[in-house]
Structures are given as C-alpha cells and as structure tokens.
C-alpha cells in the first residue's frame, strides 16, 4: 500500500461542470493513489461518468482543477489525456464498428508500411498482447460482428494496451459473462500490482468489495463521503450514502394471485436457437430468463417480438395468434420489448425525452391525420418524468445527455404509456443502473404484474432473477435446460442448469 504522505497521483480539486439546467458536478474534491483501486459509487446522474469525461479530456471543467502527480492539467481533447498517460473505458462504448478488433485497439497508432496501414502487423501485435493478458478475441474480427460483451472486452484491452498510468473503468462488467469478468478482475489486480492508479465505477457492490481499496460516493453532483478502507464499510452504509435513504429490500418482491396463461410461445425457432422452444406466461406473472452470455435468451425474445425472422413458431396472446410481421404487429397486439442494447436499439439519441416517451403511443393521438396533440404529449411526458423520477432538467432535454439509468426509465415510460400493454419484455433492464434506480424499476415491474400483465425479465444477474421472478426458465446453448418455481430456484439449482459442466 503506498504511503499516505506521498503526493497523490490523481487529484480532483473543487471540480464543477454545468450543463443547461443541470449542475452535473458541484465542487468535487478527492484523490487517488498509485497502486490502489479507488471505487466511485452513486446513483445514475450523480456525476460519476461526467467526472470521467473530464479526466479523459472529453469535457472541460467549468471550475476547479485536475492534477496529475501534483501538476495541474488542462486537457482540450481526448488526445491530450491519452498523451498524459490516462485511459478511460466509458460505459457507452466508443469504437468504430466496421474496423477489426486490432484496428480498434491500435486506433491512432496503427503500424504502417509504405504509407499504408500494415494490417498483418497490427493483427500480430494485438494477438500477442491479447494472449499475454489472457483475453480470447479474434484480432481480425470486425466489431460489428461481435457481441456486446466481446466489444466491451476489446475496449478494455484497448485501454490496458496503452500502458497508461491512470486507468478508469466505467461499469466495465455490465455486458460481460462470468468468465470474462474474472479475466477483467485479474487484469485490474495486475494493474494495481504494477503501480497503476485505478478508478473503478460499478453498481455491483460485490465486485467493488472484491476489487477496491477505498471508495468515494457521489450524490446529486456532490461528493458525499470518501471511505479510506472499503472492506470496513458496511453494505447498508454504502447504499444509504448513495441514495440518501434506507433501502432494506431492494427487490421489493410482492406475492400475488396469478391468472390463467395469457402468453403462449410454441415451437419457436430462429437462427441462433438449437431447437424449437415452448413456454407460457400467466397473467400477473414475472417470468425470469437466466443463462450465460450466448445462451440464446435475447435471441428468443427478439423472435417473440418479431424483431428477427422466425424459422418456425407461433405466439398466442389470450388465445389469439399474434402476427409475425415485425415489431409493429407485436406492439399492436400489446407485446413490447425493452432491448438489451438501449443505446443502439432503444433510444432516439438526438431526440428529446418527451419525443422518446411518446414515439409509440402517439399513433393513437392523430387529429385529422395531420396534427399531433402536443399538449397531451407534454402532459404525458411530464407525468412519467415525475412517476419514474427521471432526472432531466425538462422534457425537451435530448435523451443522449441523460445517464444510462435515466435513459432506461424513459424507455420504460414509453411502453408503460401504451394503453393496450399486455406483455412487457425487459432484456437486462438494470444493466449499468444504480441500487436506488434498480429498486424503483423493480417496484414498477411488480406494479405492471399486479395489473394482470405478463412480465418477462431477461438478466445476467442471478440475484436479480431470483429476487424478482415468480418462476425462472434457464437456457443453455440455444435450448431451455430447465424451469424452476420461486421456491425451488436457488443459486445452486439455477447454475446447475446453466453451466454445461454442472448439468
């Protein structure tokens, strides 16, 4: 452990950042030291990601100073931060999808031959380094052809291979499998042992306790506390510091009387499923789907929703067949999907919060086929902003400027505003979302179920599935490997069905 009297390798001194209508950071001061993993905790919108964008040169602070090894730094762009020895892996991945893994990892410093990029040399260089750090990625694969988890690993490798002195991770395991997370944890520990300064943001408290030496907690753009010894801080204290209130039962499970089967999926088969699949959901039921990354859960949901073409299969809702002619047919029938990748598939990034909430249900509110009922849309947006506690200065704010958790709440608001909602499918609904916001989303899930709707929740977080679901279906390698009711769904029982070597 470095001496407490040594000059901190990284200091934030009264750093502030203001956006229109929002003070994202308000006089934040804390320090991080070489050879330590310093955790940053706080609700979505608390200012953590904004701070990392200042560290990475994407934003300039409106007040305060950033110091490296005691020297003030003023970055005008991301290249300045990289040149100063800083690498930031942002929650919203930043890559060029049409380029290969090797080209993305070496972007800005690609080897050349006779004035052209030497792709063979780049591939060999990255392959060797990936092997050194134990990451299994094809350096010649295009990012667009990889899963979200694989893209995340490529972004992490890009930062690690820069040999930076300060490395910041913003929700790095949000898309990773258990095995990939273990590789990341080993990398972080190796970097700490090498004397690097690590900033680590995560909403998963178990990994913060496993990795971090100390932590700083944010709330509403301010530093609430810094705890010099992470292991000595009770979990309940961290949660109350973050949300400003006690959260005793985060999952807020509510037993309820279930109705008859409302949704039936029969013989569903698509490109990435290994066999035809059948399942049903009762009215008022929360059905959880668990499995390892690549098990086929998201693919099954997209087939059900009509986002991908079915090889075969039928969906029945209240005994009536649902057309397979795309998502619009599913929405008309009352089936909606909050997708796994909210950035690319869920939000209209350049549009306002109000536009994103109203984009689907406005089809019910056309007057003469020409005019939209703007007053009604404004009132609807404001009502959901208040109900879901969406942190935004106003309904006209561009959704891309909101935190990931608040973007997720906007997508939820879009579907909750649908007057004919019957089936709500949530794919990784709390990925990258803080404890307080998770609690609010779980309450919404139970409210929807209590209204008689079917709710399907796909999640890679086993405690989440066990905490909120009435029943759990487990998938493995494109098949349904088992089904457990709430009483029988222990971690051991679910993992035994999910892992091939335990089956």
């Amino acid at each position: 452990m470095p001496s407490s009297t040594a000059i901190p390798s990284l200091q934030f001194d009264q750093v502030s950042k203001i956006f229109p209508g929002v003070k994202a950071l308000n006089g934040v001061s804390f320090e991080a030291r070489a050879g330590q993993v310093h955790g940053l905790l706080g609700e979505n919108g608390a200012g953590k990601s904004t701070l990392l964008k200042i560290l990475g040169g994407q934003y300039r602070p409106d007040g305060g100073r950033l110091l490296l090894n005691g020297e003030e730094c003023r970055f005008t762009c991301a290249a300045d931060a990289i040149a100063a020895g800083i690498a930031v892996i942002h929650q919203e991945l930043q890559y060029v999808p049409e380029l290969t893994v090797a080209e993305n990892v070496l972007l800005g410093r690609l080897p050349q031959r006779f004035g052209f990029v030497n792709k063979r040399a780049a591939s060999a260089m990255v392959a060797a380094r990936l092997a050194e750090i134990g990451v299994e990625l094809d350096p010649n694969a295009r990012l667009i052809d990889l899963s979200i988890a694989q893209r995340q690993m490529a972004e992490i490798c890009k930062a690690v291979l820069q040999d930076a002195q300060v490395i910041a991770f913003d929700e790095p395991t949000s898309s990773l499998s258990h095995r990939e997370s273990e590789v990341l944890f080993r990398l972080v520990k190796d970097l700490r042992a090498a004397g690097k300064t690590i900033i680590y943001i995560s909403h998963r408290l178990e990994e913060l306790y496993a990795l971090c030496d100390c932590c700083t907690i944010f709330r509403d753009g301010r530093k609430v506390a810094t705890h010099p010894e992470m292991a000595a801080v009770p979990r309940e204290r961290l949660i109350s510091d973050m949300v400003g209130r006690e959260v005793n039962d985060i999952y807020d499970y509510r037993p309820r009387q279930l109705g008859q089967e409302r949704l039936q999926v029969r013989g569903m088969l698509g490109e990435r499923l290994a066999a035809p699949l059948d399942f049903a959901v009762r009215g008022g039921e929360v059905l959880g789907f668990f499995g390892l990354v690549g098990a086929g859960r998201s693919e099954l949901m997209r087939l059900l929703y009509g986002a991908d073409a079915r090889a075969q299969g039928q969906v029945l809702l209240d005994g009536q067949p649902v057309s397979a002619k795309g998502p619009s047919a599913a929405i008309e029938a009352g089936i909606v999907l909050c997708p796994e990748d909210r950035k690319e598939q869920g939000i209209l990034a350049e549009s306002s919060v109000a536009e994103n909430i109203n984009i689907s249900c406005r089809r019910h509110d056309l007057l003469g086929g020409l005019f939209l009922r703007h007053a009604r849309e404004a009132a609807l947006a404001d009502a959901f902003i208040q109900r879901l506690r969406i942190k935004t200065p106003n309904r006209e704010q561009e959704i891309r400027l909101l935190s990931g958790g608040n973007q997720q709440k906007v997508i939820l608001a879009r579907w909750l505003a649908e007057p004919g909602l019957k089936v709500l499918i949530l794919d990784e609904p709390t990925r990258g979302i803080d404890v307080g916001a998770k609690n609010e989303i779980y309450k919404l899930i139970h409210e929807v179920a209590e209204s008689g709707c079917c709710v399907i929740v796909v999640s890679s977080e086993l405690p989440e599935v066990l905490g909120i679901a009435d029943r759990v279906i487990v998938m493995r390698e494109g098949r349904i490997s088992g089904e457990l009711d709430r009483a029988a769904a222990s971690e051991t029982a679910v993992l035994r069905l999910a892992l091939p070597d335990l089956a």
Side-chain angles (χ1 to χ4, degrees):
M1 191 70 66
S3 169
S4 60
T5 59
I7 296 175
S9 57
L10 175 64
Q11 291 175 277
F12 294 94
D13 179 25
Q14 294 296 311
V15 173
S16 296
K17 182 63 182 178
I18 301 172
F19 297 108
V22 177
K23 198 160 193 176
L25 293 172
N26 190 354
V28 169
S29 297
F30 75 95
E31 60 189 42
R33 297 180 177 273
Q36 283 189 339
V37 180
H38 194 115
L40 294 188
L41 294 79
E43 293 189 276
N44 291 101
K48 308 181 302 298
S49 296
T50 298
L51 191 79
L52 290 200
K53 289 180 178 179
I54 289 174
L55 175 64
Q58 290 178 280
Y59 292 162
R60 299 185 194 181
D62 296 314
R65 302 182 302 160
L66 170 66
L67 298 94
L68 289 177
N69 299 314
E71 298 291 328
E72 183 175 353
C73 296
R74 295 182 179 274
F75 301 143
T76 60
C77 60
D80 291 346
I82 293 171
I86 295 171
V88 179
I89 300 103
H90 295 283
Q91 182 179 2
E92 300 295 343
L93 301 182
Q94 300 177 6
Y95 53 82
V96 183
E98 297 296 337
L99 296 183
T100 65
V101 169
E103 290 167 333
N104 272 277
V105 167
L106 296 175
L107 200 60
R109 49 199 178 100
L110 285 160
Q112 296 191 355
R113 180 179 173 84
F114 305 124
F116 296 94
V117 172
N118 189 335
K119 294 187 177 182
R120 181 175 296 179
S123 177
M125 186 185 308
V126 170
R129 294 301 301 274
L130 292 177
E132 286 177 18
I133 61 178
V135 174
E136 296 180 2
L137 276 179
D138 179 1
N140 297 312
R142 296 188 311 162
L143 266 290
I144 197 171
D145 298 325
L146 300 181
S147 68
I148 296 174
Q150 290 171 317
R151 296 176 197 176
Q152 183 94 347
M153 286 305 296
E155 192 74 5
I156 291 167
C157 292
K158 179 180 178 180
V160 171
L161 299 182
Q162 285 177 7
D163 197 29
Q165 297 305 303
V166 176
I167 304 177
F169 297 88
D170 191 355
E171 295 290 346
T173 62
S174 62
S175 302
L176 301 186
S177 67
H178 177 72
R179 182 182 180 192
E180 290 163 329
S181 295
E182 287 184 335
V183 172
L184 171 69
F185 296 162
R186 180 177 54 77
L187 284 174
V188 171
K189 292 173 181 177
D190 289 346
L191 291 167
R192 175 173 56 190
K196 309 293 187 182
T197 302
I198 312 294
I199 301 292
Y200 196 94
I201 295 177
S202 177
H203 294 305
R204 297 177 176 177
L205 296 184
E206 64 275 8
E207 68 186 51
L208 290 167
Y209 277 109
L211 290 176
C212 296
D213 301 292
C214 51
C215 70
T216 293
I217 299 175
F218 285 54
R219 188 167 70 239
D220 298 328
R222 297 177 181 271
K223 185 189 84 171
V224 175
T226 291
H227 297 289
E229 293 186 32
M230 183 77 187
V233 189
R235 178 188 178 98
E236 293 74 19
R237 172 69 185 277
L238 291 180
I239 294 175
S240 62
D241 280 349
M242 281 191 287
V243 304
R245 65 185 191 278
E246 295 293 330
V247 179
N248 297 317
D249 178 12
I250 183 175
Y251 300 112
D252 196 42
Y253 178 76
R254 309 171 189 177
R256 72 196 75 82
Q257 186 69 38
L258 304 184
Q260 299 297 314
E261 288 185 356
R262 294 200 67 183
L263 177 72
Q264 295 174 317
V265 177
R266 298 176 178 173
M268 188 64 70
L269 184 63
E271 183 179 353
R272 297 189 180 183
L273 298 182
L277 303 184
D278 301 270
F279 70 92
V281 192
R282 298 168 68 180
E285 184 178 26
V286 178
L287 175 63
F289 268 81
F290 182 78
L292 304 181
V293 173
R297 302 161 304 161
S298 297
E299 290 79 6
L300 175 58
M301 297 307 135
R302 289 178 59 82
L303 291 169
L304 191 167
Y305 183 58
D308 293 335
R310 305 170 191 167
Q312 67 176 62
Q314 185 181 33
V315 176
L316 299 175
L317 184 55
D318 293 328
Q320 300 300 313
V322 177
S323 170
K325 295 180 179 179
S328 60
I331 294 169
E332 285 291 344
I335 301 173
V336 301
L337 169 68
C338 292
E340 176 185 20
D341 189 342
R342 60 176 168 258
K343 180 181 177 183
E344 293 189 10
Q345 300 172 357
I347 64 170
L348 303 173
E350 302 298 325
S351 298
S352 69
V353 170
E355 179 84 4
N356 273 273
I357 290 174
N358 284 286
I359 191 66
S360 179
C361 67
R362 68 167 35 154
R363 72 185 189 280
H364 302 290
D365 289 331
L366 291 175
L367 293 179
L370 296 175
F371 302 104
L372 294 173
R373 297 173 65 177
H374 294 291
R376 177 165 178 165
E377 288 196 358
L380 185 69
D382 288 342
F384 275 102
I385 288 169
Q386 181 177 9
R387 177 184 170 189
L388 273 62
R389 297 174 61 189
I390 298 169
K391 292 183 179 178
T392 178
N394 54 61
R395 76 178 87 92
E396 299 305 323
Q397 178 84 327
E398 288 186 11
I399 192 173
R400 64 182 179 87
L401 299 177
L402 271 57
S403 68
N406 285 297
Q407 290 178 3
Q408 185 76 324
K409 288 182 181 181
V410 171
I411 299 171
L412 274 170
R414 175 191 305 162
W415 297 131
L416 294 176
E418 278 285 336
L421 178 63
K422 297 178 182 177
V423 180
L424 175 62
I425 306 170
L426 304 168
D427 195 349
E428 302 289 1
T430 64
R431 172 174 289 164
I433 293 179
D434 62 81
V435 173
K438 283 183 178 182
N439 180 239
E440 293 167 3
I441 288 175
Y442 297 149
K443 288 180 179 178
L444 283 169
I445 287 172
H446 295 309
E447 286 176 14
V448 172
E450 287 168 352
S451 73
C453 288
C454 305
V455 182
I456 301 174
V457 179
V458 176
S459 177
S460 299
E461 294 191 39
L462 183 51
E464 177 172 83
V465 173
L466 298 178
I468 66 173
D470 299 296
R471 182 166 52 101
V472 178
I473 290 178
V474 184
M475 292 190 66
R476 185 177 73 240
E477 298 175 347
R479 293 180 169 87
I480 290 176
S481 57
E483 178 181 319
L484 300 163
D485 62 25
R486 184 175 180 83
S490 66
E491 289 197 16
T492 301
V494 172
L495 288 174
R496 189 175 296 278
L497 292 170
L499 298 172
D501 53 342
L502 295 180

